[in-house]
């Protein structure tokens, strides 16, 4: 985004808003919303809020994705509220957004999510914790690495520990 000329960025945002409000298939519109998370335009905020309030999980996921991409702390309470949503994909996206937004207060909930029965939720929590760091995170991730039988999870845990060193 920083590398785009302001007029180009404005045009891209206009196109994404047009797609979002247009007649494209719903998944295309949801991806447009997620992409608008990088926008700092004021007219994007109510659009994200409407999607977050939609009862459809896919719209909430798109809204959480946009919130995470926004780097805007105003979304903190909404993201944290979805960490215990009954739908696994919503929980996973909330975990990702918590990591991207660096919501330190989410660490206890994310640590609990390491024991979630859903693999996507665990994976999102692992990476979010690697972005946040905090007391007990390294120990929890190392313990999980020692006990996991899932190769994908083990690879993610190893990468998360490297990321934790970096962050």
């Amino acid at each position: 985004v920083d590398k785009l000329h302001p007029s180009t960025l404005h045009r891209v945002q206009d196109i994404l808003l047009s797609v979002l409000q247009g007649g494209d298939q719903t998944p295309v519109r949801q991806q447009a919303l997620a992409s608008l998370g990088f926008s700092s335009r004021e007219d994007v905020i109510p659009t994200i809020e409407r999607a977050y309030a939609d009862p459809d999980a896919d719209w909430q996921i798109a809204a959480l994705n946009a919130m995470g991409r926004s780097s805007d702390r105003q979304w903190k309470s909404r993201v944290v509220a979805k960490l215990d949503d009954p739908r696994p994909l919503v929980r996973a996206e909330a975990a990702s957004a918590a990591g991207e937004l660096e919501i330190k207060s989410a660490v206890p909930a994310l640590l609990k999510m390491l024991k979630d029965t859903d693999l996507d939720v665990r994976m999102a929590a692992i990476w979010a914790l690697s972005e946040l760091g905090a007391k007990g995170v390294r120990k929890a991730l190392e313990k999980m690495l020692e006990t996991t039988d899932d190769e994908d999870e083990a690879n993610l845990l190893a990468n998360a520990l490297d990321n934790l060193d970096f962050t």
Side-chain angles (χ1 to χ4, degrees):
V1 171
D2 294 340
K3 295 179 183 180
L4 292 176
H5 188 276
S7 65
T8 303
L9 179 59
H10 190 77
R11 181 164 156 63
V12 168
Q13 292 169 340
D14 284 344
I15 292 168
L16 287 169
L17 282 166
S18 175
V19 168
L20 181 61
Q21 297 162 358
D24 287 291
Q25 293 181 359
T26 302
V28 173
R29 294 175 36 239
Q30 290 164 340
Q31 284 301 312
L33 174 65
S35 297
L36 282 165
F38 290 111
S39 174
S40 59
R41 285 175 45 169
E42 287 298 317
D43 53 346
V44 172
I45 292 171
T47 306
I48 294 172
E49 289 173 339
R50 278 191 302 277
Y52 180 87
D54 194 297
D56 183 281
D58 291 332
W59 278 111
Q60 290 179 15
I61 290 166
L64 288 163
N65 191 320
M67 289 174 184
R69 290 177 175 183
S70 73
S71 300
D72 190 336
R73 305 282 294 165
Q74 76 165 314
W75 303 118
K76 178 181 172 181
S77 63
R78 289 179 178 98
V79 168
V80 170
K82 292 295 183 184
L83 290 172
D84 65 353
D85 192 274
R87 298 160 297 183
L89 292 177
V90 174
R91 287 196 308 277
E93 195 61 49
S96 295
E100 289 181 68
L101 291 172
E102 299 177 353
I103 303 173
K104 294 281 189 184
S105 63
V107 169
L110 292 167
L111 286 168
K112 288 179 187 173
M113 292 171 88
L114 294 178
K115 295 178 180 162
D116 199 286
T117 57
D118 187 271
L119 179 62
D120 291 331
V121 173
R122 288 196 311 274
M123 296 267 215
I126 288 166
W127 195 256
L129 286 165
S130 81
E131 293 178 313
L132 293 168
K135 186 176 180 178
V137 168
R138 173 170 296 288
K139 185 177 178 180
L141 296 180
E142 287 173 344
K143 183 179 178 183
M144 198 172 175
L145 180 60
E146 291 172 8
T147 59
T148 188
D149 294 330
D150 185 291
E151 187 176 330
D152 290 335
E153 191 170 62
N155 287 334
L156 180 64
L157 283 159
N159 289 334
L161 286 165
D162 288 343
N163 190 54
L164 188 59
D165 289 336
F166 179 75
T167 56

